[in-house]
Amino acid sequence: MKFGQFDDVRKEYVINTPQTPYPWINYLGNEQFFGLISNTAGGYTFYRDARLRRLTRYRYNNIPLDTGGRYYYLRDHDTNDFWTPGWMPVKRDLDFYECRHGLGYTSITGERGGISVNQLAFIPLGYNGEVHRLTVKNTSSANKTVSLFSFAEFCLWNAQDDMTNFQRNLSTGEVEVQDSVIYHKTEYRERRNHYAFYSVNRKIDGFDTDRESFVGLYNGLHEPQVVTAGKASNSVASGWSPIGSHEVKLTLAPGEEQSLVFILGYVEVPEEDKWEAPGVINKKPALAMIEQFATDADVDHALEKLAAYWENLLSKYQINSNDDKLNRMVNIWNPYQCMVTFNMSRSASYFESGIGRGMGFRDSNQDLLGFVHQIPERAKERILDIAATQFEDGSAYHQYQPLTKRGNNEVGTGFNDDPLWLILGTSAYIKETGDTSILDEQVPFDSNPNNTATLFEHLNRSFYHVINNLGPHGLPLIGRADWNDCLNLNCFSKEPGESFQTTANIEGRVAESVFIAGLFVFVGPDFAELCRMRGLDAEANEAVSHINNMRATTLEHGFDGDWFLRAYDHYGEKIGSKENEEGQIFIEPQGMCVMAGIGVEEGLADKAMVSVKDRLDTKYGIVLQQPPYSKYYLNLGEISTYPPGYKENAGIFCHNNPWIMIAETVLGHGDRAFEVYSKIAPAYLEDISEVHRMEPYVYSQMIAGKDAVRHGEAKNSWLTGTAAWNYVAITQAILGIQADFNGLKVDPCIPAAWDGFEITRVFRGDTYVIKISNPGHVSKGVKSLTLDGAQVDGNVIPPVGDGAAHEVVVVLG
Ligand code: BGC
Ligand code: NOJ
């Protein structure tokens, strides 16, 4: 069942009912100021850090789930009827409802009783505020007198403290009101030099800033007492819970339409300019911001700029194929999710509370694979930030804090896959840009500016961290965990509530990871190539010999007859082997080892892929392992804490399904690669939204596996490495356009039935229009390639570098 449809021309998802199977959200903001907004106008807004600078309050785990947001109540003074255009929270039936989630904006329209209201929300580029344009139209044949009541509930900045420290916080709240602007200035008197404001561009008929006065102590947001009474109370908050609400009375003739621009903004004031009079905040910066959006034309102009910004980002890779679902995933929604994931990391979504984790070392490196072609400069900055949290021995903090950019001591180090992802991320940046100067940047170890080395040296330490930490079989030691945070082979936790990621990691030098071995062979050649590019041939050769050894070791000790083993545990016993009772086969080493080419010549890679299909595949995607763990295993850790079918215990992890897609393309299996792609790509799941439940325009981290009660149901949408890896799988491995060190490689691996497709790719400043045809109906193999009519040997387009458009004609066969 569908709950809306894609509008590809406007690059929007159009939702036709407020009662989606779960709140379907969107993100506003691109640089410093951000908002989350659901299809019923729920959500919140923050400046830079969702934990430390939250402007509006949002209660996770609420009942109903999605309560609290940017609410605009409409009250009809003739009938006393009141309602909200996004349906929530009043939930009065609407004669018409539509939500359009677009790139960086959301537009919600509701109509009832002869009044139509459109609520448009976005964050203009370079602006620290959310603009809400409300357009109210009288669709009836009689005059209408209505009041519009706005509502935003302020968070006392630190979201964690705001939800816990009530003995203090209920006495600190302060506001000021002047003209049509409400200022939230809690703690401004002491150590803060920032405040929030909420304005509207016309004279108001009243306001409220005290929650209890507006809502009523015993009322909910569905029946605020001011709205039911039809008159603002002009309350001024003093402690308790400050809010912002304006009342604007409108008289509309039949057919008449009026619009109002509200702004919810954030201001920082230099210490010496904080006050305009004792106790009175300096409002100049806020008024200057408000001034920028005085008129509708200002709003339209900012929307055009926002559209142009996205148009430019998305233009870097565009496909034209016969498959609308593929087109909209590749051209619009997957790259959009990649950018959002890059901006948010894992901080704020409807599954991440904004107060939890910092930025992940491995997560950030993988995220940048999905957006490096859109904004390479930001990828560069991210790479250098990440690398600065590495230690001298090549190990790395598992997480770092975005505001301080320092490693997170609470989580610490010891996730032995982490260092390798830095090689992958850096190589992706160099392949995209050709900018090898990044390797010469001086980068600190453990954020210490007095202890630095070149980025290249950091990569060297990453590579040798693996080689210096091999276990009894010559495979890499796993440490706390590898990619699978929940396979904790050295943890042995017995205390409820202990974190499996951070609880004492016994100094096991036995447990080994076949996955890390695969990852080493996968990224190692890039490191060797970088050595060669720097003229370090001896180092390159040495790296290659380590890679060859690892490949051989993996085949010798990491293959179990029909598939790759997962690991050896603390006792040196096999994990992910047919000898195990549960957890006999895992997806991760099958994907990663075959991506690395291990066992391809020997026919073992083929066997592994057949085993994946036979044992792990389901109609909704490939599960992580089988059989699921039915009980807790002290020697395996968190993986065995989840009920069968959920999360890492045999859930469909949409992050590593693309590894199988890519692995299948290594073997030339285009039909199978695309089959796996379309099983989990959200646009293909739109028709089963009642089962999938999450947004049909973005990936979720996990879909419940076949052993779960709710097989096919997704969770944790938006912020997941799934976005980047699926983007890599479809755009690079399946459609086959790959940035490489020496040019743009074209190597599609597609369903044999496809006749062809066309891709426009901006690469190092030039635009390549690549027409691929498949007259012989093969899956893989470039028979000929021409660049502007001239034959090119092989399948790598050498960068032209003239900034112009070039035609590339590729024939498969
Ligand atoms: C989740 C993992 C996550 C880890 C670290 C675990 O509970 O299952 O997916 O990576 O926590 O936050
Ligand atoms: C989510 C984490 O963010 C990621 O780092 C990890 O690889 C996966 N879960 C799998 O455990």
Side-chain angles (χ1 to χ4, degrees):
M1 192 200 292
K2 301 209 298 185
F3 296 82
Q5 68 278 340
F6 288 92
D7 180 336
D8 296 330
V9 174
R10 293 169 62 156
K11 304 190 177 67
E12 293 171 338
Y13 192 78
V14 188
I15 302 169
N16 303 325
T17 167
Q19 286 167 282
T20 42
Y22 206 74
W24 284 0
I25 73 164
N26 192 16
Y27 284 83
L28 314 176
N30 302 290
E31 290 133 349
Q32 313 243 48
F33 196 78
F34 297 100
L36 288 73
I37 184 166
S38 70
N39 60 313
T40 57
Y44 59 97
T45 179
F46 61 92
Y47 173 72
R48 286 187 65 191
D49 186 317
R51 172 169 175 169
L52 299 176
R53 273 316 137 79
R54 199 176 292 194
L55 265 75
T56 55
R57 188 172 279 159
Y58 190 75
R59 295 169 185 78
Y60 280 88
N61 240 340
N62 213 342
I63 306 173
L65 182 63
D66 184 29
T67 308
R70 309 120 177 108
Y71 291 147
Y72 289 90
Y73 297 88
L74 205 97
R75 187 187 153 103
D76 185 328
H77 286 295
D78 303 321
T79 60
N80 293 338
D81 184 38
F82 68 90
W83 52 283
T84 31
W87 190 64
M88 284 289 276
V90 179
K91 296 209 299 186
R92 283 269 206 281
D93 289 343
L94 297 170
D95 301 330
F96 176 79
Y97 162 91
E98 185 182 85
C99 167
R100 289 178 171 264
H101 283 318
L103 305 178
Y105 67 88
T106 287
S107 166
I108 300 173
T109 308
E111 182 170 352
R112 181 178 160 93
I115 310 272
S116 162
V117 179
N118 174 262
Q119 166 176 4
L120 167 77
F122 73 109
I123 295 174
L125 292 171
Y127 192 73
N128 291 332
E130 255 187 46
V131 173
H132 304 162
R133 176 162 67 192
L134 274 286
T135 309
V136 186
K137 184 171 182 179
N138 180 355
T139 56
S140 77
S141 50
N143 284 335
K144 290 272 183 195
T145 309
V146 299
S147 275
L148 186 70
F149 294 92
S150 65
F151 174 78
E153 183 179 7
F154 294 113
C155 176
L156 306 188
W157 307 116
N158 179 331
Q160 166 97 354
D161 186 77
D162 182 67
M163 281 291 166
T164 46
N165 193 8
F166 301 105
Q167 60 78 27
R168 167 179 160 87
N169 295 342
L170 296 182
S171 292
T172 57
E174 288 189 289
V175 297
E176 283 182 35
V177 183
Q178 192 181 309
D179 302 326
S180 300
V181 191
I182 294 162
Y183 298 88
H184 173 229
K185 59 167 186 176
T186 301
E187 290 190 347
Y188 189 78
R189 65 165 58 229
E190 30 129 340
R191 293 158 295 178
R192 294 188 184 272
N193 66 340
H194 55 88
Y195 62 78
F197 66 87
Y198 192 22
S199 65
V200 56
N201 64 343
R202 68 162 76 193
K203 214 173 144 330
I204 56 176
D205 295 280
F207 62 85
D208 273 281
T209 65
D210 173 56
R211 190 179 79 204
E212 200 174 309
S213 310
F214 179 78
V215 182
L217 188 55
Y218 295 101
N219 295 29
L221 289 177
H222 62 292
E223 48 170 11
Q225 67 187 16
V226 156
V227 181
T228 51
K231 181 91 205 84
S233 79
N234 296 347
S235 59
V236 177
S238 176
W240 297 109
S241 296
I243 60 147
S245 174
H246 310 86
E247 181 188 353
V248 180
K249 234 183 199 166
L250 305 169
T251 307
L252 299 164
E256 188 186 345
E257 178 181 288
Q258 292 191 26
S259 68
L260 305 90
V261 181
F262 291 83
I263 297 171
L264 186 57
Y266 171 85
V267 164
E268 271 176 14
V269 193
E271 191 61 35
E272 58 285 6
D273 288 335
K274 274 178 76 169
W275 308 100
E276 62 183 44
V280 181
I281 63 173
N282 175 0
K283 304 190 178 61
K284 276 202 203 103
L287 295 174
M289 280 179 72
I290 293 166
E291 187 53 37
Q292 285 184 52
F293 291 97
T295 67
D296 264 2
D298 296 331
V299 173
D300 290 335
H301 187 57
L303 281 168
E304 281 162 24
K305 284 208 305 251
L306 186 63
Y309 170 84
W310 277 107
E311 197 63 41
N312 172 48
L313 291 184
L314 300 182
S315 70
K316 306 286 160 61
Y317 193 123
Q318 288 285 303
I319 185 179
N320 182 0
S321 80
N322 297 329
D323 181 343
D324 287 342
K325 296 181 175 120
L326 178 64
N327 293 346
R328 62 177 67 114
M329 284 314 311
V330 169
N331 294 342
I332 307 168
W333 294 100
N334 197 356
Y336 182 58
Q337 185 180 3
C338 286
M339 271 311 287
V340 169
T341 307
F342 165 69
N343 282 328
M344 294 288 127
S345 191
R346 304 295 175 268
S347 75
S349 72
Y350 269 29
F351 294 85
E352 300 278 10
S353 63
I355 60 178
R357 311 191 242 175
M359 317 258 292
F361 192 97
R362 80 159 84 87
D363 292 345
S364 298
N365 273 303
Q366 292 172 82
D367 288 349
L368 68 83
L369 303 178
F371 80 89
V372 62
H373 65 296
Q374 296 188 50
I375 315 190
E377 316 81 64
R378 292 185 77 190
K380 176 175 180 181
E381 186 190 333
R382 184 68 53 95
I383 289 166
L384 298 174
D385 285 350
I386 303 169
T389 65
Q390 194 174 25
F391 293 98
E392 279 185 87
D393 71 353
S395 66
Y397 277 111
H398 191 50
Q399 290 178 7
Y400 69 100
Q401 298 308 119
L403 269 187
T404 62
K405 297 191 171 175
R406 297 186 79 90
N408 181 335
N409 270 316
E410 280 163 42
V411 186
T413 171
F415 295 76
N416 285 349
D417 62 317
D418 274 339
L420 289 175
W421 298 110
L422 183 63
I423 300 179
L424 187 66
T426 307
S427 308
Y429 168 79
I430 296 174
K431 288 176 182 173
E432 181 64 36
T433 59
D435 170 22
T436 50
S437 73
I438 190 176
L439 295 172
D440 298 315
E441 299 266 353
Q442 285 291 325
V443 182
F445 290 110
D446 191 7
S447 306
N448 177 357
N450 300 319
N451 183 14
T452 67
T454 60
L455 179 65
F456 176 76
E457 180 56 23
H458 278 261
L459 303 189
N460 190 42
R461 307 270 173 113
S462 284
F463 186 86
Y464 282 99
H465 184 262
V466 174
I467 294 305
N468 295 336
N469 290 282
L470 298 177
H473 298 90
L475 291 164
L477 291 170
I478 196 167
R480 288 185 187 280
D482 59 25
W483 172 87
N484 190 333
D485 272 334
C486 298
L487 189 63
N488 315 114
L489 303 183
N490 294 309
C491 184
F492 292 81
S493 173
K494 282 185 169 166
E495 282 302 311
E498 274 181 355
S499 157
F500 289 95
Q501 277 76 46
T502 59
T503 298
N505 185 24
I506 53 170
E507 259 311 304
R509 291 196 72 86
V510 176
E512 298 168 296
S513 164
V514 176
F515 171 79
I516 301 180
L519 182 60
F520 182 82
V521 179
F522 180 63
V523 306
D526 281 345
F527 174 68
E529 187 58 30
L530 293 176
C531 292
R532 273 193 222 293
M533 287 162 74
R534 293 173 81 77
L536 302 172
D537 280 346
E539 285 80 352
N541 293 341
E542 193 187 336
V544 169
S545 83
H546 286 302
I547 296 164
N548 290 340
N549 284 343
M550 191 68 82
R551 184 182 296 110
T553 308
T554 306
L555 286 173
E556 190 183 343
H557 296 293
F559 202 79
D560 199 45
D562 290 307
W563 57 82
F564 291 93
L565 276 178
R566 180 63 179 83
Y568 287 93
D569 72 6
H570 172 68
Y571 307 106
E573 301 290 338
K574 291 177 183 170
I575 305 290
S577 155
K578 55 181 178 304
E579 294 164 21
N580 299 122
E581 210 175 299
E582 300 185 321
Q584 295 178 333
I585 170 171
F586 281 68
I587 190 173
E588 308 98 305
Q590 320 313 324
M592 193 49 77
C593 292
V594 178
M595 277 162 74
I598 304 176
V600 173
E601 277 168 33
E602 299 81 354
L604 302 181
D606 267 307
K607 270 193 173 179
M609 288 302 106
V610 170
S611 300
V612 167
K613 190 162 188 205
D614 288 350
R615 289 167 182 262
L616 299 179
D617 208 7
T618 77
K619 63 177 170 172
Y620 297 125
I622 302 170
V623 299
L624 197 143
Q625 101 278 23
Q626 280 292 296
Y629 296 113
S630 61
K631 54 178 193 275
Y632 179 49
Y633 291 82
L634 193 58
N635 62 324
L636 300 181
E638 184 168 357
I639 191 168
S640 58
T641 65
Y642 289 111
Y646 293 111
K647 293 281 287 179
E648 281 86 344
N649 189 14
I652 297 159
F653 240 78
C654 299
H655 184 140
N656 44 31
N657 273 244
W659 297 343
I660 299 299
M661 299 167 203
I662 301 170
E664 293 284 10
T665 67
V666 167
L667 300 172
H669 303 156
D671 283 283
R672 172 69 179 152
F674 192 73
E675 180 194 340
V676 179
Y677 173 76
S678 51
K679 270 190 189 177
I680 63 164
Y684 294 82
L685 307 177
E686 191 189 13
D687 286 332
I688 55 154
S689 288
E690 79 286 8
V691 178
H692 185 74
R693 293 189 66 195
M694 295 298 123
E695 295 91 335
Y697 41 92
V698 292
Y699 284 95
S700 296
Q701 182 201 49
M702 186 223 39
I703 299 172
K706 61 184 176 187
D707 310 286
V709 176
R710 311 179 69 133
H711 185 32
E713 181 186 72
K715 288 191 188 118
N716 198 0
S717 55
W718 284 96
L719 306 184
T720 157
T722 303
W725 273 109
N726 277 279
Y727 189 74
V728 169
I730 188 66
T731 61
Q732 299 182 25
I734 297 175
L735 301 172
I737 311 300
Q738 307 161 12
D740 211 336
F741 291 120
N742 51 357
L744 196 59
K745 190 167 168 188
V746 182
D747 192 16
C749 183
I750 54 174
W754 285 12
D755 292 322
F757 54 96
E758 184 180 306
I759 286 184
T760 305
R761 175 72 156 90
V762 178
F763 179 66
R764 300 191 195 172
D766 301 328
T767 302
Y768 298 93
V769 180
I770 308 170
K771 298 195 169 85
I772 299 172
S773 63
N774 188 20
H777 290 283
V778 299
S779 276
K780 194 170 177 154
V782 169
K783 196 161 89 183
S784 70
L785 190 155
T786 61
L787 171 62
D788 294 328
Q791 191 73 34
V792 172
D793 287 338
N795 60 349
V796 179
I797 308 167
V800 181
D802 61 0
H806 300 279
E807 197 189 54
V808 179
V809 177
V810 178
V811 181
L812 304 181

